[in-house]
Amino acid sequence: MSRAWAQRLRGMAVAVALVAAVFGLCGLTVPDAGNRLRDDAFYEFAWAANLASGRGPTVSDGATTSGVQWLWCLLLAPLVWLFGAGALPVAAPGLGLALHVATAVAWWRGLRDRWTGTIVGLCWLGHPLLVRECQNGQETALACFAATLLWLARGGSERRFLGLALVAVAARSDLLAFVAVLSCWRHRGAPWRALPAPLLALGMHIGVARLLGGGWLPDSALPMAWLFHEHGERIAAVVGDSGWSRTWWFLRPVLLGGPFALASSLGIGFAVFACLRPFWPAGLRALPALAVGIASGLGVRDLATPGWTALLLALFPAARRRRPRCELLATLLGLGAIVLLHWAIRWYPRDYYVAPLVVAAMAAVARYGRLRLLLITFALVQVFDARRVPPEPLAGQREMELAGRHLAAVLPAGERVGCFNSGLVTFYADVLAAAARRHGIVNLDGVVDARTFAAGKARSLAAWLDAHEVRFVLDNALQFARDEREPHACGDLFGADFEAARDLVEVARFDVPGLGNGRPDGDSLRLYWRRGRGAAPVLPAKGVRLLGSDMAGGTVVAWTAAAGATLRIEMPDGRREPLVHADVDTTVVVWIARERHGTGRLFVGDSATPALHLPAL
């Protein structure tokens, strides 16, 4: 190829990569609990804020925990000292975005070929999954930064590699396999020299878990996996299934399925191709493509990654015996273990777990960066792959935030409250609340409280709550049901004689009209008194009172309702649209969006007299 054509291809590659970067960065938003910040992020916010304020490394009331990624939390603690805990929902995504940009710069500076480094850096900067997840308030951007530095330092000194290995595992514990496999690749001629890095990282990991949570694994490692496996076995028993279908359901993504396409269908496919090509017989070059075509015809999905691998093997068979790409193989195995762990073993897949796999895709592209057409194609495919990364449906978390912010309006301060999905509730009702309005929120699923996980496994959660004087529980109604078909139904964890309809009395519900989780009674978060535990709470007098304005400019009111009543709001044309309906005597804390204010007059049922006139916004 002439120098002129080489320059043109370089220019085209940079231009297309720049388009990919701009396209991906269009996904930047102002994060909130409805579009980026998962409930899990607020566990880490609470841990960092409690540590910074002197309350210790705690989330759940009364228990230290190892159920967070502690290096990320330590980075958040200084932000609490500087700006206060209330700034974390904005500051944490900002820090994540800064780390995302720093990782792109590391790729640009870390590759010998600056043209390839520029293109890889731009593709990293605009990668749709990374752009979305660097704003999630969690440790994702830090884990990707650490994994990238570790890969770039793979051929460096042992001291530097060891330091980065410890940082990577501290950033996210599932990077331990990456550390181990990459260390083995570094010392493939002397395997005993590969042991210090992974062993020291494992020792640090276990030491922190023992110190903070008392177990050999982080508190968050087992609870959700155990719950999903338990329900899987019960569902199999109910429908008469052996359980293999459910096992296969979670195992098949490990075979180059959807998680790898989320990272990069072409990048991961090219890495697999580079590892297979030296061994694949040229005479069978069409066989993988034929197999993928047949599978697609039979209705198999998630074939984008194996499809690229098959296409490349068909187009570029090995002309002669070549050396295997052990470096890429080590990277694929080490980072692919993340999918094996969370999908096939834990049965608890989440998109953000996949983010470090993008390092493997970028490593493959960097290894063959001299092929400028590959760089152009990679950037183009990344733009088209953006459809695999839609916004997550997190709007239902607004009710968790509503409950945390306004729990004090329906429950006296000092009462301890058990909650399964407790991140947002803990942050607003315990961490940010003034001392006179603070509640002790106890995490019930055990993710950040080893005590409740042990009690749940023993089917004695009700007795544990009695022993710790927790008289109230808060969550959507499904969490307290006994339903083998629903993996989130946890009623059986309370005990063999627990029955939600008999043992729980609704005190309040927190509702954002129009939101729901698609499950029975999933339209609101509900606060229950545990019948027989102390005096029954007394509901306020019937009526509607204003609580204030918050949550994206809406208005919050508390309505103490009689069973069967409906709260309506008057529209400018005189129509009265229903906001919420109460099927029991309860207090409903409801958020009213700005666009639904109408005339601002609220009515209970068909009453001619307004119950409340909302202030103008």
Side-chain angles (χ1 to χ4, degrees):
M1 180 183 297
S2 68
R3 179 175 297 181
W5 267 107
Q7 290 177 344
R8 290 191 188 100
L9 284 176
R10 282 199 297 263
M12 289 176 60
V14 172
V16 175
L18 185 60
V19 170
V22 173
F23 184 85
L25 289 173
C26 290
L28 291 173
T29 63
V30 177
D32 65 22
N35 68 5
R36 287 291 187 270
L37 301 179
R38 298 177 184 85
D39 188 54
D40 290 350
F42 288 84
Y43 290 137
E44 297 184 307
F45 295 170
W47 196 96
N50 285 335
L51 183 71
S53 65
R55 298 174 70 185
T58 64
V59 178
S60 182
D61 187 46
T64 61
T65 184
S66 59
V68 297
Q69 302 296 345
W70 54 272
L71 180 59
W72 175 245
C73 294
L74 290 178
L75 292 180
L76 295 182
L79 299 179
V80 178
W81 294 327
L82 289 172
F83 307 112
L88 286 179
V90 174
L95 178 58
L97 181 59
L99 286 167
H100 175 66
V101 174
T103 310
V105 172
W107 282 106
W108 170 56
R109 295 292 301 273
L111 299 181
R112 292 180 181 178
D113 180 356
R114 282 302 174 84
W115 286 103
T116 302
T118 299
I119 293 160
V120 169
L122 286 171
C123 287
W124 182 280
L125 191 62
H127 192 286
L129 176 67
L130 299 179
V131 170
R132 189 185 80 181
E133 297 304 338
C134 76
Q135 304 171 78
N136 65 13
Q138 297 169 262
E139 72 291 336
T140 308
L142 177 62
C144 291
F145 182 61
T148 296
L149 293 184
L150 192 64
W151 188 84
L152 292 173
R154 67 197 181 283
S157 68
E158 188 65 20
R159 178 178 297 180
R160 185 183 182 195
F161 182 83
L162 175 59
L164 289 173
L166 294 176
V167 169
V169 175
R172 215 169 83 176
S173 54
D174 57 11
L175 289 176
L176 180 61
F178 184 44
V179 168
V181 177
L182 208 56
S183 184
C184 289
W185 171 81
R186 281 166 54 84
H187 301 290
R188 48 199 177 278
W192 59 91
R193 296 180 59 191
L195 295 177
L199 288 180
L200 285 172
L202 178 62
M204 175 193 69
H205 180 58
I206 292 175
V208 172
R210 295 289 295 174
L211 177 66
L212 297 179
W216 294 98
L217 293 172
D219 294 339
S220 56
L222 295 178
M224 299 311 296
W226 174 81
L227 183 64
F228 273 63
H229 278 267
E230 281 285 299
H231 278 280
E233 291 180 5
R234 294 188 178 197
I235 291 172
V238 169
V239 301
D241 186 11
S242 65
W244 280 107
S245 60
R246 193 167 181 83
T247 300
W248 170 246
W249 175 261
F250 287 101
L251 177 62
R252 66 178 187 172
V254 180
L255 307 176
L256 298 182
F260 296 94
L262 265 180
S264 173
S265 60
L266 175 56
I268 300 296
F270 192 82
V272 176
F273 158 74
C275 294
L276 284 179
R277 189 186 186 204
F279 307 102
W280 195 262
L284 298 178
R285 59 192 293 181
L287 183 59
L290 180 63
V292 170
I294 293 173
S296 179
L298 293 174
V300 178
R301 296 295 177 261
D302 293 335
L303 292 173
T305 303
W308 279 114
T309 300
L311 178 63
L312 290 166
L313 284 171
L315 294 177
F316 306 105
R320 60 183 182 275
R321 211 63 169 171
R322 297 176 181 270
R323 294 179 60 188
R325 303 300 182 191
C326 296
E327 172 187 349
L328 283 179
L329 181 60
T331 305
L332 271 175
L333 290 176
L335 293 173
I338 293 173
V339 181
L340 178 67
L341 172 65
H342 296 297
W343 271 255
I345 297 176
R346 294 185 70 227
W347 290 9
Y348 194 64
R350 292 292 181 269
D351 284 358
Y352 60 88
Y353 291 150
V354 176
L357 268 168
V358 182
V359 174
M362 298 299 178
V365 173
R367 178 65 180 78
Y368 292 92
R370 66 186 183 278
L371 304 176
R372 304 306 183 193
L373 284 174
L374 169 65
L375 297 179
I376 295 172
T377 306
F378 179 72
L380 283 172
V381 171
Q382 179 169 300
V383 172
F384 287 106
D385 270 353
R387 70 185 189 281
R388 303 183 193 279
V389 192
E392 287 195 290
L394 300 178
Q397 293 186 162
R398 292 196 183 279
E399 291 174 340
M400 301 178 192
E401 180 181 351
L402 184 68
R405 288 182 181 274
H406 297 286
L407 187 61
V410 296
L411 189 67
E415 287 283 2
R416 308 183 80 199
V417 180
C419 184
F420 287 94
N421 301 286
S422 62
L424 277 152
V425 176
T426 300
F427 186 70
Y428 287 107
D430 192 359
V431 175
L432 289 191
R437 294 169 59 86
R438 184 171 290 161
H439 295 84
I441 308 299
V442 178
N443 171 251
L444 295 185
D445 60 20
V447 170
V448 287
D449 195 326
R451 306 169 304 173
T452 57
F453 177 48
K457 286 182 67 177
R459 305 296 196 278
S460 60
L461 194 53
W464 188 92
L465 293 175
D466 290 342
H468 290 81
E469 299 180 342
V470 181
R471 301 197 308 128
F472 295 87
V473 290
L474 168 71
D475 222 298
N476 62 71
L478 177 64
Q479 292 286 163
F480 306 105
R482 306 176 69 98
D483 188 345
E484 292 85 355
R485 299 165 298 175
E486 288 288 349
H488 291 280
C490 299
D492 61 306
L493 305 186
F494 287 82
D497 59 346
F498 174 80
E499 192 61 49
R502 180 194 66 219
D503 298 336
L504 300 181
V505 178
E506 183 177 325
V507 175
R509 63 179 64 173
F510 301 87
D511 196 2
V512 176
L515 289 185
N517 60 12
R519 299 186 177 98
D521 298 324
D523 62 317
S524 58
L525 218 65
R526 305 188 183 193
L527 177 69
Y528 298 98
W529 169 58
R530 301 178 60 232
R531 190 186 299 274
R533 276 68 177 186
V538 179
L539 291 177
K542 300 291 188 294
V544 186
R545 65 187 191 276
L546 182 69
L547 296 183
S549 299
D550 65 358
M551 294 176 61
T555 302
V556 182
V557 300
W559 170 43
T560 303
T566 301
L567 183 65
R568 304 177 185 273
I569 189 163
E570 186 180 64
M571 294 291 104
D573 60 3
R575 289 180 300 108
R576 296 181 183 179
E577 291 189 352
L579 281 174
V580 290
H581 176 77
D583 53 352
V584 296
D585 290 349
T586 188
T587 297
V588 184
V589 176
V590 58
W591 180 74
I592 306 171
R594 179 190 298 269
E595 58 270 18
R596 295 198 66 183
H597 263 224
T599 65
R601 299 203 303 170
L602 296 177
F603 295 84
V604 176
D606 297 323
S607 172
T609 305
L612 183 70
H613 200 140
L614 300 177
L617 291 178

